[in-house]
Amino acid sequence: MLAAASVPHAFAAETASPSWERLRKGGFVFLMRHAATVSAGVDPKGFRLGECRTQLNLSDDGRAQARRAGQLIADRKVPIGHVYTSPWCRCHETGILAFGKAEDWEPLGTFFYEPTREEDFTKRVKARIGNYSSRDVGGNVVMITHNTNIAALTRLTVVPGEIVVLRPDGCCGFKVVERLDL
């Protein structure tokens, strides 16, 4: 059972009003779903990871959504260290537009097309989150991925552009502390 499956009792209250002061102190992982795409659904048949034109990509609204999210976080002076993304173009572009940087990391890639990868990807992401320390990168870490990955880690379903804020336990797990629908 994942350590993240339990949601704090005060979760609903935290959702309505983000704890910006707490987030400014760093030490959190922002697990973000990529911004809105040109259509709801899946990648076109025959898509290729290295070729954005063959994939489901961000819409103009999604690009604006990513910029707004990044700007709001910057305006609130919430420090962002690393930004890891799924190698899918919609995730990478969300990172660039929101935070000005993005480092592809395979375990954040969707396993929707290859369900046998879910356990391995989830285990690797959970380990990285659980061992994260704000001393390592100065601030917070952002991981931009897909709804399937977020659901596997947290048991939550999120909308495009939504962020689930996690507090790593410094060992091997984490706790969901709030959601940001920016």
Side-chain angles (χ1 to χ4, degrees), residues 15 18 65 69 72 158-164 178-182:
T15 303
Q65 178 185 37
L72 179 61
V158 295
V159 298
E162 185 174 357
I163 297 171
V164 178
E178 68 185 292
R179 294 171 77 161
L180 306 172
D181 186 0
L182 308 175

Side-chain angles (χ1 to χ4, degrees), residues 11-24 30 72-73 76 78 163 165 177-182:
F11 185 70
E14 289 181 327
T15 303
S17 178
S19 308
W20 296 111
E21 185 61 37
R22 174 173 58 178
L23 299 177
R24 275 186 212 106
F30 294 7
L72 179 61
I73 289 169
R76 302 289 187 190
V78 174
I163 297 171
V165 179
V177 294
E178 68 185 292
R179 294 171 77 161
L180 306 172
D181 186 0
L182 308 175

Side-chain angles (χ1 to χ4, degrees), residues 131-144:
N131 291 315
Y132 164 70
S133 166
S134 62
R135 294 181 305 275
D136 298 336
V137 296
N140 301 290
V141 166
V142 176
M143 294 185 174
I144 303 170

Side-chain angles (χ1 to χ4, degrees), residues 97-120:
L97 293 171
F99 306 104
K101 54 188 170 183
E103 180 183 333
D104 290 350
W105 186 42
E106 182 189 24
L108 292 174
T110 185
F111 43 77
F112 180 81
Y113 306 103
E114 297 180 74
T116 57
R117 299 186 90 178
E118 177 179 354
E119 184 178 346
D120 176 54

Side-chain angles (χ1 to χ4, degrees), residues 147-166:
N147 187 52
T148 53
N149 301 61
I150 294 170
L153 283 161
T154 67
R155 305 294 186 243
L156 298 171
T157 297
V158 295
V159 298
E162 185 174 357
I163 297 171
V164 178
V165 179
L166 308 174

